[in-house]
Amino acid sequence: MNKFNPAFIVRENIKKLSPYQAKEIPCKIKLDANESPFPVKLSDFISEVNIPLNRYPDPEALKLRKALAKKMKISYTNIMIGNGSDELIYYLILTFGGPVLYPIPTFAMYGIIAQSVGVKKFESKLDSDFDINEEEMINLIKTEKPRLIFISSPNNPTGNTFSTDKILKIIDTARKNPSIVVIDEAYQPFCSDRGFLPFLKDFDNLAILRTLSKIGLAGLRVGYLIGNENLLSEANKVRLPYNVDVLTQYIATAALSKFYAQIKNFITEIVKERIRLQKELSKIKGVTVFPSEANFILFKVKNSQNVYTKLIKSGILIRDMSSTIKNALRVTVGTKEENKEFLKVLNNILGG
Amino acid sequence: MNKFNPAFIVRENIKKLSPYQAKEIPCKIKLDANESPFPVKLSDFISEVNIPLNRYPDPEALKLRKALAKKMKISYTNIMIGNGSDELIYYLILTFGGPVLYPIPTFAMYGIIAQSVGVKKFESKLDSDFDINEEEMINLIKTEKPRLIFISSPNNPTGNTFSTDKILKIIDTARKNPSIVVIDEAYQPFCSDRGFLPFLKDFDNLAILRTLSKIGLAGLRVGYLIGNENLLSEANKVRLPYNVDVLTQYIATAALSKFYAQIKNFITEIVKERIRLQKELSKIKGVTVFPSEANFILFKVKNSQNVYTKLIKSGILIRDMSSTIKNALRVTVGTKEENKEFLKVLNNILGG
């Protein structure tokens, strides 16, 4: 009997796909995943969880959507919740298909999920300031007719926000194409800019992705898509009815009321630390620091992989970005103590 | 400016798709969703949840996989966890594509997700005893070359298990095709049969879906796929890295140790009640009851929609199945008191 090999019958688009690497590397100080460094525990804002686990969660996630809507002063009908933004990217691509267009380097999941679904993707390189290449993007929209355009701003892993004017021109061009522009505002809370919420009423081909992952609740997996009701009702067709579990719904809703002031404080603290960390990093000889409006900082050093490995040996985990940007490393802003330790060790490694 | 309408640019396969209906209907006694009727609360087996919510969950869900593996006496490398079985059905179809083949009537999500992904589907009608039409299934495997075959056994909504011999012949034929047979054993814990775990070693094109949803933890969203490592490593390529949140991982793991005896008791109680409910239902004039090995019972009455509506007016919610099986209703086994009340009200409606 021949051996049956599942690899022989996977779809063509899956054959070349590698799973997203999210291996756990043991470390003392974890600055690799753009998480909040401040421990948030259930008991910080909930005394007793009394919801029955034997019942299915609310398929409409009404309370959580209403809590989010209130914060943003929009209607809950303009919000769809996902098991992280990742799941919403899946739903968008499953609904509207491809081609998918996005600037690079950026968040890896746009490309991975486009390939998982099996749609074509177009990538437009950022310019030397890590800003959008407007001309190329507009050309690609006109010639390749993408269905979806993903723009992460502030961008991961570069840390900068893109020019609002350029994005607005892209949205306007996309509208005539027609295609949908999804601004991924995962890092917007750390940015001085107001983001694209104010433009939602002007463009019905605009959608926005946000998340609770970067502001202290990564473990809960709550991403949300903001857009007009027509757009959401299409994407809702492919949404799994019970995609957000009952505890996530309950705890995220509670966090948005009882814990919101604390979340705000944490954000303020991280922005303050980011500015300090940026300044200190730029003082270290051999380090080139890039501007950041997010909760992480991109920087370059010679022999970055060597530096990365030495940091791990000292118990500090950051992200090696050298496969996408030469000699680049990305460090998440930690607590004051963590950042101090990171700077000290980095200084030692670079022979400061 | 023309109005932009997202409905114009959705993929062809999405145009005809309606979202899965999971609307909440207020009721006193909820017997519509095949949930466990026994309230399970966090505090039943966890005194304090001390895991930090600010960190991403373990992308490998190692502890939960090991806890499940131990119960089934298999290796954790043969288990993949999903945000409910629903998500795993998505991953299977995204990985292996279509056509997808399944007997009907059955769980609606196989068809909905096949359409979401945009693959062809073939449906084979069950015979008059609700068993598999073996000849037709085998013919469809040979002629239509499905990549995936989904078989829910015990089957939802009919309640019966299919003939093991028929399924084994299907797996064997599928192996030569080649295609993968996924036995959905969501309701296996309520069934006298051992299920298909013992056959895993004989067929490398066999995979099994199980879930914690029917045995008391529907709110947590834990489904799991059991299969050989080659098969899982392919499906793992399309899995979102953080698809199972940190609380779900923690609580499900704890439930499998500290709460497992109680879960077993609940299952025993439900099987006992199912047998009683079956007997009592068959005594009511005008009711035809079908055999069940699940935690629900399918039955027929004249004017089923009318009966369904009258039950709701008395505060009892069951599932109207008349759109798929003429005059059929499906009732989840509730607590003794709930079943008693249901029987009393049904008796009254039918003029007993």
Side-chain angles (χ1 to χ4, degrees), chain A residues 105-107 155-160 296-298 321 324-325 329-330:
Chain A
T106 193
F107 182 44
N155 186 42
N156 176 13
T158 59
N160 59 308
F296 58 84
I297 295 169
L298 190 80
M321 284 292 162
T324 39
I325 305 168
L329 299 170
R330 191 194 72 189

Side-chain angles (χ1 to χ4, degrees), chain B residues 5 15 62 73 100 156 174 185 190 211-212 237 244 246 289 307 323 347-348:
Chain B
N5 189 342
K15 286 190 176 157
L62 263 186
K73 298 185 174 64
V100 165
N156 175 14
E185 297 192 337
F190 307 101
T211 177
L212 302 185
K237 290 181 182 176
V244 186
V246 74
V289 191
V307 171
S323 65
N347 228 322
N348 285 341

Side-chain angles (χ1 to χ4, degrees), chain A residues 2 11 17 22 35-36 40 53-56 59 83 90 94-95 175 214 219 221 238 242-243 245-246, chain B residues 2 11 22 35-36 40 53-56 59 83 90 94-95 175 214 219 221 237-238 242-243 245-246:
Chain A
N2 294 329
R11 297 205 295 170
L17 187 65
E35 298 152 331
S36 163
V40 176
L53 302 178
N54 56 315
R55 299 292 176 188
Y56 279 99
N83 185 24
Y90 246 128
L94 280 167
T95 306
R175 192 185 184 288
K214 314 301 172 184
R221 315 302 300 123
V238 304
Y242 305 113
N243 65 325
D245 73 79
V246 74
Chain B
N2 294 331
R11 296 204 294 170
E35 298 151 332
S36 162
V40 176
L53 302 178
N54 56 314
R55 300 291 175 189
Y56 279 98
N83 185 25
Y90 247 127
L94 280 166
T95 305
R175 193 184 183 287
K214 314 301 173 186
R221 315 301 299 123
K237 290 181 182 176
V238 305
Y242 304 114
N243 66 325
D245 74 80
V246 74

Side-chain angles (χ1 to χ4, degrees), chain B residues 4-189:
Chain B
F4 167 87
N5 189 342
F8 291 159
I9 67 164
V10 298
R11 296 204 294 170
E12 277 307 312
N13 54 303
I14 305 298
K15 286 190 176 157
K16 282 164 255 154
L17 186 65
S18 305
Y20 180 82
Q21 287 304 323
K23 286 269 176 325
E24 298 222 314
I25 299 170
C27 61
K28 198 176 60 187
I29 298 180
K30 193 171 180 306
L31 303 173
D32 69 319
N34 299 347
E35 298 151 332
S36 162
F38 305 110
V40 176
K41 286 170 195 158
L42 258 187
S43 51
D44 289 346
F45 53 99
I46 287 174
S47 57
E48 202 190 11
V49 181
N50 229 352
I51 16 162
L53 302 178
N54 56 314
R55 300 291 175 189
Y56 279 98
D58 172 13
E60 304 290 329
L62 263 186
K63 281 179 191 162
L64 178 51
R65 283 161 71 209
K66 284 181 178 171
L68 288 165
K70 206 174 147 193
K71 294 292 169 208
M72 293 182 288
K73 298 185 174 64
I74 59 174
S75 162
Y76 74 91
T77 56
N78 295 120
I79 299 177
M80 177 169 157
I81 315 266
N83 185 25
S85 293
D86 291 355
E87 192 191 32
L88 297 166
I89 298 167
Y90 247 127
Y91 291 157
L92 284 164
I93 299 179
L94 280 166
T95 305
F96 298 105
V100 165
L101 168 65
Y102 48 88
I104 53 164
T106 193
F107 184 42
M109 293 310 285
Y110 313 135
I112 292 174
I113 295 173
Q115 196 167 338
S116 288
V117 177
V119 303
K120 218 169 170 177
K121 54 196 182 193
F122 291 96
E123 300 178 333
S124 165
K125 270 196 187 158
L126 295 176
D127 66 22
S128 55
D129 292 326
F130 293 148
D131 200 1
I132 282 177
N133 184 331
E134 183 191 325
E135 205 188 310
E136 190 181 62
M137 287 285 283
I138 299 253
N139 270 338
L140 283 167
I141 293 170
K142 288 180 177 168
T143 57
E144 305 299 346
K145 305 269 173 207
R147 284 307 194 200
L148 283 164
I149 300 158
F150 288 97
I151 297 175
S152 159
S153 186
N155 186 42
N156 175 14
T158 57
N160 58 308
T161 34
F162 297 132
S163 139
T164 304
D165 277 354
K166 286 186 182 182
I167 294 181
L168 287 175
K169 272 185 210 152
I170 286 169
I171 299 172
D172 197 47
T173 309
R175 193 184 183 287
K176 293 163 199 152
N177 190 44
S179 63
I180 292 162
V181 180
V182 183
I183 311 290
D184 188 341
E185 297 192 337
Y187 300 98
Q188 196 279 332

Side-chain angles (χ1 to χ4, degrees), chain A residues 74-240:
Chain A
I74 60 174
S75 162
Y76 74 91
T77 56
N78 296 119
I79 299 175
M80 178 168 155
I81 316 265
N83 185 24
S85 293
D86 291 354
E87 191 190 31
L88 297 166
I89 297 167
Y90 246 128
Y91 291 157
L92 284 164
I93 299 179
L94 280 167
T95 306
F96 298 107
V100 165
L101 168 65
Y102 48 88
I104 53 166
T106 193
F107 182 44
M109 293 309 287
Y110 312 136
I112 292 174
I113 295 174
Q115 195 168 337
S116 288
V117 178
V119 303
K120 219 170 168 175
K121 54 197 182 191
F122 290 96
E123 300 178 334
S124 165
K125 271 195 185 158
L126 296 176
D127 66 21
S128 55
D129 292 327
F130 292 148
D131 200 3
I132 281 176
N133 184 333
E134 183 190 324
E135 206 187 308
E136 189 181 64
M137 287 285 283
I138 300 254
N139 271 339
L140 284 168
I141 293 170
K142 287 180 178 166
T143 56
E144 305 298 346
K145 305 270 172 205
R147 285 307 194 199
L148 283 164
I149 300 158
F150 288 96
I151 297 175
S152 160
S153 186
N155 186 42
N156 176 13
T158 59
N160 59 308
T161 34
F162 299 131
S163 141
T164 303
D165 277 355
K166 286 187 182 180
I167 294 180
L168 287 175
K169 272 184 212 153
I170 286 168
I171 299 172
D172 198 45
T173 308
R175 192 185 184 288
K176 292 162 198 152
N177 190 42
S179 62
I180 292 163
V181 179
V182 183
I183 312 290
D184 187 342
E185 297 192 337
Y187 300 99
Q188 197 279 334
F190 308 100
C191 145
S192 51
D193 199 276
R194 285 181 63 210
F196 280 78
L197 271 184
F199 297 107
L200 265 181
K201 61 177 188 323
D202 302 325
F203 297 100
D204 40 17
N205 66 325
L206 169 63
I208 294 169
L209 275 175
R210 290 206 176 174
T211 177
L212 302 185
S213 295
K214 314 301 172 184
I215 59 174
L217 297 167
L220 280 188
R221 315 302 300 123
V222 176
Y224 48 111
L225 178 68
I226 309 159
N228 67 67
E229 288 177 42
N230 287 333
L231 196 154
L232 295 193
S233 81
E234 294 299 329
N236 202 42
K237 289 180 181 176
V238 304
R239 182 177 66 82
L240 295 174

